[in-house]
Amino acid sequence: MLGNRAVAYKGPGEVDVIDIDYPTFELKDGPGVNPANVGREVRHGAILKTVSTNICGSDQHMVRGRTTAPKDLVLGHEITGEVVETGPDVEFIKVGDIVSVPFNIACGRCRNCKEQKTGICLNVNPDRPGSAYGYVDMGGWVGGQADYVLVPYADWNLLKFPDRDQALEKILDLTMLSDIFPTGFHGAKTAGVGVGSTVYIAGAGPVGLAAAASAQLLGAAVVIVGDLNESRLAQARSFGCETIDVSKGDPASQIEQLLGVPEVDCGVDAVGFEAHGYGEDAAAEAPATVLNSLMGLTAAGGALGIPGLYVTGDPGGVDEAAKVGSLSLRFGLGWAKSHAFTTGQCPVMKYNRQLMMAILHDKVQIAKAVNAQPISLEDAPRGYAEFDAGAATKYVLNPHGYLNA
């Protein structure tokens, strides 16, 4: 039996590489596994040898202790892999295929999946619609920051790359298809970005940078990215974005300096529930700041794409309301301006094939946009620490050396 190493949450601010069981076609008990999922047979699954698996800002929320994640939860929902074994019910996916794994786990059979709402599949999480690998309250499917990982409903979930050699040549870009590229694209698309749009993206982390690259791909005339972190703003400028430092004051007034008016056509929240204020309040956490700001600076009739993560349980929330995900929003303003809002997990399968083709045919360089850097699995604790400290880097774990070439 092959061994299996994985990155696990050990407590607030701490991750470690531990030994775990090699995957089987049955979901076993373990940290975070929903009791109703224990013993679940996965005859429709595939076991992957991990090609690459990325550290995500959503993982960082857990590692900071801002969720109810249990100790030893295996992390990782951004997975690209090589199929090494398939279950007896898998028909089309074959051993040797190089594949992207959508972070949403979806059955392909329920009403929501059939309507392309794969982020809220009804059959994979006994607690509520929607599931993901290695994430708190998502059903307990083991994370992919590991040597090997099990993927259920393989024929449905896995996006096979059409040419192995071409895929491995562009693997650092293709690894972004599991989450942040579709998520950023979803944020831009649901904000209504199109040819000639002016766009403000709050947050210059990897999802915000992916949203910015997506807005350019969709034909935006001006893409403005706001953040408190100068190195991340510099990364946004590196591929043609305008930037504003929200520590210097109200984003709307800075947008007016760029556009001549204090508003944009489209707004994207790529920050989520750990948002801070702006100007003199930039040091203080204020979870509703970004949403309220976006309602203020998005033109009447515009839309807000909200790929930034919001949670129903936050032990570190600034007040009792925030601890249960209740925020003080200026919803009346958004209503008065006829804004549209799109929230929730990105339905990755709605976009990943098209974005794969854009990568394979050199229409976008997403790895360059988000400053992707491969590191070893053993270096994951360092990657988490540097990312948490504000590094303008998308860390990509490389357990088996596929990215070395």
Side-chain angles (χ1 to χ4, degrees):
M1 180 67 70
L2 292 172
N4 197 13
R5 301 167 303 154
V7 180
Y9 170 67
K10 304 298 286 186
E14 184 182 0
V15 301
D16 199 6
V17 179
I18 65 172
D19 292 321
I20 64 170
D21 291 338
Y22 185 83
T24 66
F25 295 106
E26 178 182 314
L27 195 56
K28 294 182 168 59
D29 197 8
V33 177
N34 190 298
N37 262 349
V38 175
R40 185 170 182 161
E41 293 190 8
V42 191
R43 296 169 56 88
H44 42 68
I47 295 172
L48 307 186
K49 183 179 182 181
T50 303
V51 170
S52 57
T53 176
N54 315 330
I55 296 174
C56 179
S58 299
D59 298 320
Q60 200 71 63
H61 293 305
M62 287 189 291
V63 173
R64 290 185 187 127
R66 297 299 296 268
T67 71
T68 56
K71 180 182 177 182
D72 287 330
L73 180 77
V74 174
L75 301 167
H77 55 271
E78 299 190 15
I79 309 163
T80 306
E82 178 176 4
V83 178
V84 294
E85 190 175 352
T86 59
D89 292 348
V90 176
E91 186 175 0
F92 303 112
I93 290 293
K94 305 298 183 186
V95 170
D97 288 345
I98 305 292
V99 294
S100 178
V101 184
F103 80 90
N104 327 104
I105 302 172
C107 72
R109 296 152 165 79
C110 71
R111 172 181 175 174
N112 284 350
C113 284
K114 290 179 180 179
E115 293 177 355
Q116 291 192 310
K117 301 172 184 174
T118 52
I120 44 173
C121 173
L122 300 174
N123 289 329
V124 287
N125 183 356
D127 282 340
R128 63 189 186 197
S131 190
Y133 305 88
Y135 213 85
V136 61
D137 297 332
M138 287 291 187
W141 300 90
V142 178
Q145 287 177 13
D147 286 321
Y148 298 91
V149 64
L150 171 69
V151 174
Y153 303 102
D155 281 327
W156 168 253
N157 281 306
L158 295 178
L159 174 67
K160 176 185 173 182
F161 300 137
D163 182 272
R164 179 187 177 92
D165 292 338
Q166 183 188 30
L168 291 175
E169 183 179 324
K170 293 181 177 291
I171 200 65
L172 201 56
D173 289 289
L174 293 171
T175 192
M176 304 305 158
L177 291 173
S178 57
D179 182 355
I180 67 161
F181 192 14
T183 293
F185 189 88
H186 181 61
K189 184 78 171 177
T190 56
V193 178
V195 174
S197 298
T198 58
V199 188
Y200 175 65
I201 297 166
V207 169
L209 296 171
S214 298
Q216 293 174 339
L217 191 63
L218 287 164
V222 183
V223 180
I224 305 168
V225 180
D227 204 290
L228 300 162
N229 183 319
E230 174 51 35
S231 63
R232 290 181 172 182
L233 291 174
Q235 182 61 30
R237 290 192 294 272
S238 75
F239 60 98
C241 300
E242 301 286 350
T243 61
I244 60 174
D245 181 346
V246 297
S247 71
K248 296 180 178 178
D250 181 3
S253 63
Q254 296 185 66
I255 287 170
E256 185 172 20
Q257 294 174 32
L258 291 169
L259 299 179
V261 293
E263 64 180 22
V264 291
D265 301 322
C266 314
V268 178
D269 174 4
V271 178
F273 73 104
E274 288 192 65
H276 284 241
Y278 53 80
E280 294 180 354
D281 298 322
E285 188 169 310
T289 295
V290 169
L291 292 172
N292 287 331
S293 174
L294 285 172
M295 285 187 278
L297 59 81
T298 302
L304 276 61
I306 310 174
L309 176 68
Y310 289 86
V311 295
T312 56
D314 174 13
V318 294
D319 53 35
E320 292 306 309
K323 289 178 181 178
V324 294
S326 181
L327 308 181
S328 181
L329 296 178
R330 291 193 67 196
F331 191 74
L333 176 62
W335 189 93
K337 294 175 77 172
S338 295
H339 284 157
F341 302 80
T342 300
T343 65
Q345 291 184 36
C346 165
V348 170
M349 294 176 69
K350 190 172 183 177
Y351 309 111
N352 63 349
R353 184 187 178 278
Q354 300 96 305
L355 296 177
M356 174 189 74
M357 295 300 288
I359 289 169
L360 293 178
H361 293 279
D362 300 317
K363 300 303 181 186
V364 64
Q365 292 181 300
I366 189 64
K368 184 177 180 181
V370 302
N371 192 27
Q373 298 292 332
I375 60 175
S376 69
L377 193 71
E378 289 77 13
D379 269 347
R382 174 179 65 83
Y384 270 96
E386 292 181 1
F387 186 46
D388 189 48
T393 305
K394 178 67 173 177
Y395 288 104
V396 179
L397 304 182
N398 181 27
H400 296 285
Y402 285 87
L403 279 66
N404 291 351

